[in-house]
Each structure stands twice: as C-alpha cells, then as structure tokens.
Amino acid sequence: MVPFHTACALLGLAPLLVLGVPPIWTQPEQVHLSYTGIPGSMVVTWTTFNKTETEVEYGLLGGRLFEMSAKGNATLFVDSGEEKRRMFIHRVTLTDLKPASTYVYHCGSDEGWSDVFSFTALNDSLSFSPRFALYGDLGNENPQSLARLQKETQLGMYDVILHIGDFAYDMHEDNARIGDEFMRQIQSVAAYVPYMTCPGNHEAAYNFSNYRNRFSMPGQTESLWYSWNVGSAHIISISTEVYFYLEFGLDLVFKQYEWLRKDLEEANKPENRAVHPWIITMGHRPMYCSDDDQDDCTNFDSFVRLGRSDIKPPAPGLEDLFYHYGVDVELWAHEHTYERLWPVYGDKVHNGSTEQPYINPKAPVHIITGSAGCRERTDKFNPNPKEWSAFRSTDYGYSRMQVLNATHLYLEQVSDDQYGKVIDSIWVVKEKHGLSAWP
C-alpha cells in the first residue's frame, strides 16, 4: 500500500510527467497547391512538425492510384515568437502533367500520409477560359465566406484562387499557431486548386517570415512578387507593403519596381501581348478607395499610386507604370468592403463611353475585394465618394472572374450575407490592349 503522502506527491508530478513527453508530429497537414508558371506543373506544399521524407504519390483519375511518385525537399522554419516553434515546410514540384487532366494525390512519407486529394492540371491552351475566385482579408476568426468557398471549390467552380493579402489575422500570433490553424482551414480549398497569393500588412511580423516560408509562389522572391500566364491572361502579383515597411529594406521598393518594369516590357512585346493580351495585377493596398478611414488609398497622394517623395531617393508609384504598359484590370483588397471603380487614371474617370463604360475603357479597371471575413469585421464608406466610385457594398463576400477570351473578361461580386447572391457584375470588353488602347 502506497502511503497517502507519497501518492499525493506522485499525483503532483503527473502534469510534469505528461508535459515531458511531446507528441510525434509526422502527419502531413496544411496541404496546399500553387502553380509554378511552367505548363504541366504544380507544386504541393505541406507541413509536419517533425522531420520526415518529402514525397507525393499521384495518378490520373480513373487510372491506377498512386502509380507515379515525386520527391522534394523540406525546409526548417523556426517562428520568431517566444517559443521559437519549429516546423518543416515540404515542397514537391510535379512535372509533365497532362493539361486539363485530373490527378488524385496524397503527400507525406512512410511515417504518415495525408488524406487523398485531387486537382486538375491547368489547361495550357490559349483558348482556355480560366475561372477565379478572388478576395483578401480572410481570417481564422470570422472567416464568413470560407464555407461557401470550400463548397464551390469542391463543386469544381474554380480553376485558381487569388488571395490578395492578409491571412489568418495573424499568422504569427500565438507563436504561429494561428497560422497553422488558418492553413488547416483553407486546406479544403487550397489542396484542390492552385492558391495564388500576395503579401498584406497583416503578414509583416518578423519581416513577413510566416508568409515567405509557408507559401510557394513562382520566381525567386520568396513569393513577394512574381508573374505567370494562364489562358489569355498575364497575371502579376506584387507587394504593396514595400512602400510601408521600409525598415525591412528600402531597396525592395526599387527592386520590385525595376522587376515590374522589365516584366511589363516583356509582356508588351507584340509576340507576347498577342497571346496573353490581358494584363491583370493583384496587390494588397489599393491606389483608390472611398472608405471612411485614414488608409493610404483615401489620400490623393497615395504611396502606392504616386510613390514616396519623403524618402531619398524618391520611390516611384505604380499608377503611371501600369498605365504606360496598358494594364487592363487591377485587383486589390485591404479595405474590408467591395468597391468597383469606373476606369480611372490620374484621379479622373476615363470611361469607354457614357452608355458603355467598360467597353473599350480608356484606363485600367480597379476592383477592391477585401470583405471575405476576419475578426476586424467590415469597414464603413465615406458618404461622399469621388466620381470614380461606381458600386460599393459592405456585405461580407468575395469576387469571381473569368477571362473568357482575348476580348472579353467577366467580373462579379458574391454576397455571403445574402446567401451567395450576385450583387454586382460587369463585362470588360477590349478590342485593343496596351498603351494604344488609351486615348
């Protein structure tokens, strides 16, 4: 018989004994896809908390399951929070995929495999009409649009997701556990279609380390800026945050600008613009908005639009660059609202015509879609917007876009508050693309 005082002492040690045996974390989680920009390829990214091998087994839908396999690499990511939590980010690039074919896959190792997922390799035909869901500012708490997006993705409604900055609110919080849970939440979208991203201000902690380590976008810039082609579109993703977080490197403003200039110059070569006539940009903070707050886009001399003259050397803004190279559509978020603008340049409206403003518009078309849902709720609008504001909504929701062909692009806004109702839609029609399309 154990004496009573000894039993009490052992019971007192019980929590310490339990805490002394950490769990084994070899099970893959947070699975998500991204496109490399190279036809016939896809990157699979996932996380484990112990080191394991890195492999994807896959096969064509209807064929022999897992008849092919590909290996990749794992990178150790140590979060900068107090606990210095460690996780392994695994990446495998699948190549030689048959365009428009559906594949079944799982990822992991002999120490643990993920659930079985599927994806359709992007169609590399120039006549492909890709369908996008696009939004920003989606959080772990109050992710109001997420369930609808999960279901619609699994119904096969989208070819690509564009997440235009601000994830999780915030990925670094609770020693990056909020980031882990958010990546688990979006797995039911991102494991089925490429989940293409750009950074927002809520990723800034520790020099954007959670964003730079968790995502796998094309190029060699740790997912900060890159471009890729799909169907008749050339899509450019940028970091607007380089204008605001100068402590992480003033040179980033100029590096991105120079990269952008070269990318746009290349995209505008006649042989390239002929096959990818639509140039679409995505960046977190807008150039224009009519929200009732003090954000950059509410100022006439917005940093993103006009640059920064308060630093040396002065940093150029993006509006003139985008206009000069004939950018067609500019997608933004940050404001927790939806706003569609008339074609605008230089703070002035440049409609195609009074009756048909989006047919042969004479300036880029801006869409702000930052109301997917997060703990900060939605924003309020200024009651007296400028003349470039065409449609506004404070409903939670997200946007859809289809690049139909070389001349027609469709955009619509879905209200989650109104149970999936389409509350706004436009066709942008362009017979000419590039600088010559402007007056």
Side-chain angles (χ1 to χ4, degrees):
M1 187 83 177
V2 179
F4 177 74
H5 65 276
T6 307
C8 289
L10 287 170
L11 283 170
L13 284 171
L16 297 176
L17 294 171
V18 171
L19 288 172
V21 184
I24 301 299
W25 296 94
T26 57
Q27 187 61 30
E29 59 175 64
Q30 307 174 40
V31 181
H32 53 287
L33 301 173
S34 55
Y35 181 53
T36 66
I38 300 167
S41 66
M42 195 74 77
V43 179
V44 186
T45 306
W46 69 94
T47 297
T48 60
F49 296 98
N50 285 110
K51 191 171 184 179
T52 68
E53 294 297 308
T54 303
E55 187 173 5
V56 173
E57 295 181 333
Y58 63 108
L60 282 163
L61 179 66
R64 192 172 147 222
L65 207 56
F66 308 144
E67 66 178 336
M68 294 175 276
S69 68
K71 296 201 168 181
N73 298 298
T75 305
L76 173 64
F77 169 46
V78 181
D79 175 62
S80 297
E82 192 176 303
E83 293 179 25
K84 299 291 183 283
R85 287 180 66 239
R86 295 157 55 93
M87 60 192 80
F88 292 87
I89 312 293
H90 301 258
R91 293 178 174 89
V92 173
T93 302
L94 306 181
T95 57
D96 298 320
L97 300 171
K98 293 180 180 176
S101 297
T102 299
Y103 289 82
V104 176
Y105 75 98
H106 68 179
C107 58
S109 71
D110 286 340
E111 295 180 74
W113 292 100
S114 72
D115 289 341
V116 177
F117 303 106
S118 63
F119 68 86
T120 299
L122 282 181
N123 192 327
D124 63 355
S125 167
L126 299 176
S127 61
F128 175 45
S129 302
R131 303 158 303 160
F132 303 82
L134 45 130
Y135 51 83
D137 305 80
L138 180 67
N140 159 248
E141 180 186 336
N142 187 36
Q144 184 160 329
S145 301
L146 182 59
R148 196 174 302 281
L149 286 161
Q150 289 167 330
K151 185 172 181 177
E152 290 180 350
T153 299
Q154 292 172 9
L155 283 168
M157 288 176 60
Y158 306 118
D159 302 299
V160 180
I161 306 293
L162 304 179
H163 189 144
I164 310 170
D166 279 9
F167 306 76
Y169 285 74
D170 291 343
M171 287 198 285
H172 73 281
E173 289 189 10
D174 193 13
N175 294 279
R177 289 184 182 88
I178 298 297
D180 290 336
E181 184 53 31
F182 177 78
M183 298 304 290
R184 294 182 194 110
Q185 285 171 286
I186 65 164
Q187 176 178 277
S188 48
V189 173
Y192 295 96
V193 293
Y195 201 88
M196 308 302 282
T197 63
C198 68
N201 55 298
H202 277 269
E203 285 68 73
Y206 316 126
N207 193 6
F208 297 84
S209 63
N210 269 269
Y211 174 82
R212 290 187 290 110
N213 281 277
R214 290 179 187 270
F215 292 106
S216 311
M217 298 300 116
Q220 304 299 317
T221 64
E222 296 181 301
S223 305
L224 295 178
W225 57 81
Y226 59 92
S227 67
W228 54 292
N229 298 318
V230 61
S232 53
H234 179 68
I235 299 177
I236 302 172
S237 177
I238 60 166
S239 172
T240 55
E241 304 316 296
V242 297
Y243 287 93
F244 299 90
Y245 294 96
L246 303 180
E247 65 269 31
F248 298 138
L250 183 59
D251 61 317
L252 292 178
V253 181
F254 300 98
K255 276 184 181 173
Q256 176 176 256
Y257 188 88
E258 189 53 28
W259 174 87
L260 257 175
R261 190 188 61 75
K262 287 179 179 172
D263 187 85
L264 286 163
E265 196 173 290
E266 183 68 22
N268 271 279
K269 286 181 178 174
E271 63 272 24
N272 292 331
R273 198 84 199 231
V275 292
H276 302 294
W278 292 98
I279 296 182
I280 300 166
T281 61
M282 59 184 260
H284 184 60
R285 299 197 207 207
M287 293 183 191
Y288 300 91
C289 68
S290 66
D291 291 74
D292 191 13
D293 53 30
Q294 303 306 308
D295 285 349
D296 182 59
C297 53
T298 64
N299 301 321
F300 173 79
D301 54 353
S302 142
F303 289 166
V304 175
R305 186 168 86 84
L306 297 180
R308 294 196 63 159
S309 57
D310 59 333
I311 61 174
K312 291 185 178 179
L318 300 178
E319 184 173 48
D320 282 348
L321 183 72
F322 287 179
Y323 183 83
H324 179 75
Y325 284 104
V327 170
D328 299 292
V329 176
E330 303 180 22
L331 306 172
W332 311 98
H334 189 58
E335 304 305 313
H336 298 172
T337 48
Y338 168 75
E339 186 164 15
R340 167 172 56 81
L341 276 56
W342 300 119
V344 62
Y345 171 67
D347 207 41
K348 291 185 171 56
V349 173
H350 293 273
N351 287 344
S353 66
T354 307
E355 299 78 20
Q356 297 177 313
Y358 298 105
I359 294 182
N360 296 317
K362 296 180 175 65
V365 175
H366 294 243
I367 299 290
I368 301 162
T369 177
S371 58
C374 67
R375 69 185 180 198
E376 294 182 358
R377 312 297 163 177
T378 52
D379 291 336
K380 291 184 172 65
F381 281 118
N382 182 326
N384 301 301
K386 289 193 174 181
E387 62 175 6
W388 38 251
S389 182
F391 181 91
R392 313 190 296 180
S393 173
T394 58
D395 286 5
Y396 286 108
Y398 51 94
S399 306
R400 297 182 185 131
M401 176 175 74
Q402 184 169 20
V403 183
L404 203 72
N405 53 35
T407 56
H408 287 66
L409 181 148
Y410 178 71
L411 283 154
E412 67 182 20
Q413 179 68 6
V414 177
S415 167
D416 193 76
D417 287 346
Q418 298 183 51
Y419 310 103
K421 180 183 176 183
V422 174
I423 58 170
D424 185 43
S425 64
I426 59 166
W427 280 98
V428 182
V429 180
K430 299 196 72 166
E431 290 159 12
K432 275 200 303 188
H433 296 266
L435 183 61
S436 64
W438 311 142

